[in-house]
Amino acid sequence: MRRITVIGSRGQLGHDLMESLTAAGHQTTGLTHQQISIEDPECIAGALGQSPPDLIINTAAYNKVDLAEKEPEIAYAINALGPRHLAQYCSEKSISLMHISSDFVYGLDTSRQTPFQEHEAPGPVSAYGLSKLAGEYFVRALCPQHYVVRTCGLYGVAGKTGNGNFVETMLRLGKDRDELSIINDQHCTPTATRDLASALTRLIETNQFGLYHATCQGQTTWYEFACTIFELAGISVNTHPITTEQYNAPADRPRFSVLDCSRLTAAIGDAIPDWKSSLKHYLESQGEICPK
């Protein structure tokens, strides 16, 4: 049993990590943004100083990808300097640190067709992606006992009451509208936080520190993902595939950010389920489809 503190415990991944870690027998404490601001070193020491844990898992992040183009300093403070402060604190106290990063550290290679491995050079194309990559580098440089985990397209039950997620957004829009246009040239792997949390719980029990890619298996586009949601949930809506340029968002996104997770699979002895089966399980658990 370990004493583990989850920062961002009410977020989608944080919520499921709390459940998974507790079920595995760990003594788990959750901290919300109201209880700790990772941008402030003194706040970190104050929130953790009474009873420092054996491991800190940082799921806190600035995830407003488009808004980050207008306020990069805020994204950098939370996504880069925040992990830096945590890494320094953990190094001084000999605490292990797991930091959650993003597939958005890639994107510069627009002709890519094969999944990225951890050793390959990143190349962000947005302020958000740059801030996440900087956070990775700080953690890897300053905290010897670290896990840096890149993941993609997260959705989980806490998204129903929090800031939402792609699945919940598509379910809502599919029921409210007759037609939807969805991007079909960004290739990625949607990942259920419940399955990711289970994999990360097993990873921390290996003590195999380092950089990991962690997503569901397989790959798809946001358009194909949406169509699968509608098909499984029995929602009838006219869908239209569009390009990234047609959508014209303020921030650029990776055209291909599929991650090779073989290193994680080798460490924990099993792969995270494929994205379609994870999606089906999620929709069943939320009462959107009836299990057979």
Side-chain angles (χ1 to χ4, degrees):
M1 183 187 74
R2 299 186 188 184
R3 292 173 299 144
I4 301 174
T5 295
V6 177
I7 298 176
S9 57
R10 290 184 183 172
Q12 294 181 110
L13 180 56
H15 173 275
D16 288 345
L17 274 169
M18 292 290 292
E19 288 193 352
S20 179
L21 292 166
T22 301
H26 299 291
Q27 182 181 326
T28 310
T29 301
L31 293 176
T32 66
H33 182 66
Q34 288 71 34
Q35 295 170 305
I36 185 171
S37 292
I38 61 173
E39 311 97 290
D40 183 353
E42 292 185 3
C43 184
I44 291 173
L48 299 170
Q50 296 299 322
S51 180
D54 303 310
L55 168 70
I56 294 172
I57 303 179
N58 178 42
T59 72
Y62 177 102
N63 291 323
K64 301 171 184 176
V65 177
D66 289 325
L67 192 57
E69 297 297 312
K70 293 183 178 181
E71 47 185 42
E73 69 284 352
I74 299 177
Y76 192 81
I78 299 173
N79 292 342
L81 296 181
R84 179 177 184 268
H85 299 322
L86 282 173
Q88 289 177 319
Y89 178 85
C90 288
S91 179
E92 293 169 0
K93 302 293 184 180
S94 297
I95 298 171
S96 301
L97 174 62
M98 175 177 281
H99 173 63
I100 307 302
S101 188
S102 167
D103 64 310
F104 274 55
V105 301
Y106 295 108
L108 199 59
D109 186 352
T110 57
S111 62
R112 184 80 180 199
Q113 294 183 342
T114 56
F116 286 97
Q117 294 181 309
E118 289 88 347
H119 68 271
E120 295 184 270
V125 292
S126 66
Y128 167 76
L130 284 166
S131 70
K132 292 297 290 184
L133 182 60
E136 286 188 9
Y137 285 152
F138 281 132
V139 171
R140 294 171 66 187
L142 297 173
C143 182
Q145 297 181 22
H146 69 261
Y147 306 91
V148 171
V149 181
R150 294 172 181 156
T151 189
C152 173
L154 298 184
Y155 63 92
V157 295
K160 295 178 75 73
T161 56
N163 295 324
N165 58 50
F166 186 82
V167 177
E168 295 301 328
T169 298
M170 288 301 104
L171 290 172
R172 175 174 53 82
L173 293 179
K175 296 170 183 176
D176 292 345
R177 300 184 184 179
D178 296 325
E179 295 189 37
L180 290 172
S181 296
I182 306 153
I183 294 174
N184 196 36
D185 62 353
Q186 296 176 14
H187 299 260
C188 59
T189 306
T191 301
T193 52
R194 178 179 179 273
D195 293 323
L196 177 59
S198 175
L200 297 184
T201 298
R202 284 177 284 166
L203 177 61
I204 64 174
E205 293 167 352
T206 69
N207 286 322
Q208 295 184 38
F209 301 109
L211 175 63
Y212 289 91
H213 289 170
T215 68
C216 285
Q217 296 181 70
Q219 65 184 70
T220 188
T221 67
W222 295 109
Y223 174 77
E224 294 167 348
F225 186 31
C227 289
T228 305
I229 294 169
F230 298 141
E231 180 183 356
L232 290 172
I235 296 173
S236 179
V237 58
N238 291 322
T239 57
H240 306 285
I242 59 173
T243 65
T244 299
E245 288 72 24
Q246 287 175 302
Y247 191 76
N248 196 30
D252 197 7
R253 265 84 166 166
R255 301 301 189 274
F256 188 95
S257 59
V258 180
L259 306 178
D260 183 321
C261 302
S262 55
R263 183 165 189 248
L264 175 68
T265 300
I268 65 176
D270 194 14
I272 301 176
D274 70 273
W275 72 267
K276 285 187 178 180
S277 64
S278 287
L279 174 62
K280 184 173 183 291
H281 184 276
Y282 175 81
L283 292 174
E284 288 176 345
S285 71
Q286 300 307 297
E288 296 293 342
I289 56 177
C290 296
K292 294 182 179 178

